[in-house]
Amino acid sequence: MKNVNFSFGTIEFDLKGKNVPQASFVGFAYHGLNDSTFDAIYFRPFNFRSTNKNSKNHCVEYISMPKYDWFNLRHLFKDEFESGLNVMIDPDSWIHTKIEITEKSVSVFVAGNPTPTLVVKPLNKIDKGRVGFWVGNGSDGSFSNLTIDETVPVK
């Protein structure tokens, strides 16, 4: 997004991906320096209702590019930077997402649930940068209702 630099605080938005295996990766990037250096939180909607336990645990993920893509994180820190959902969501529906970002943690809340779905420690030391909606692996997605509040959440 042009002329938007974000440091720490809360980002909220609605997103919609697709229930197409390995073809829908949708989320939000922040602390971006350029198109290849950023952090992001993203969803794999096609895993929301998976009956495979391993896939079910790969619904929401954190990445810190370029060093820590999903593949490196999964192999270096098994299950630490990704999780399943703590609410039932239709993979073809809109998802309300809130991301709270502090210097020490990134917490992801889904569908108004007060319990975070994912909490991770950021892997880079970038404390301000560009933001934008994110899609991966040639997929697309729909986004709406973005709000950004740079007030750091009190924990």
Side-chain angles (χ1 to χ4, degrees):
M1 295 177 183
K2 292 183 180 183
N3 303 318
V4 178
N5 276 302
F6 173 79
S7 184
F8 300 107
T10 302
I11 300 168
E12 289 193 62
F13 56 94
D14 297 321
L15 65 83
K16 184 177 179 184
K18 296 179 181 172
N19 190 15
V20 179
Q22 301 303 321
S24 185
F25 307 90
V26 291
F28 199 84
Y30 59 93
H31 292 173
L33 298 181
N34 52 46
D35 289 346
S36 60
T37 304
F38 57 87
D39 281 5
I41 295 293
Y42 73 95
F43 295 86
R44 295 170 176 246
F46 54 87
N47 282 340
F48 289 179
R49 292 201 175 155
S50 177
T51 56
N52 177 292
K53 183 180 179 187
N54 201 30
S55 294
K56 194 148 186 83
N57 289 333
H58 301 155
C59 291
V60 60
E61 304 188 22
Y62 164 90
I63 54 174
S64 186
M65 301 299 287
K67 187 174 181 181
Y68 295 109
D69 63 10
W70 72 270
F71 184 81
N72 287 337
L73 288 173
R74 193 171 288 171
H75 291 288
L76 295 171
F77 308 99
K78 183 160 176 55
D79 297 331
E80 189 174 333
F81 292 93
E82 57 192 334
S83 76
L85 296 178
N86 55 4
V87 293
M88 290 296 294
I89 296 178
D90 177 348
D92 291 308
S93 69
W94 284 92
I95 306 161
H96 183 74
T97 304
K98 178 170 79 169
I99 306 170
E100 292 182 350
I101 302 166
T102 70
E103 291 181 56
K104 296 182 180 182
S105 70
V106 178
S107 302
V108 182
F109 300 84
V110 178
N113 190 330
T115 303
T117 295
L118 178 68
V119 179
V120 298
K121 181 179 178 184
L123 291 174
N124 74 40
K125 300 300 179 203
I126 300 169
D127 62 2
K128 189 167 192 155
R130 295 169 38 199
V131 299
F133 293 115
W134 181 92
V135 294
N137 201 28
S139 64
D140 63 1
S142 299
F143 303 91
S144 182
N145 302 319
L146 173 66
T147 61
I148 298 174
D149 180 359
E150 283 207 81
T151 305
V152 178
V154 178
K155 295 285 182 183

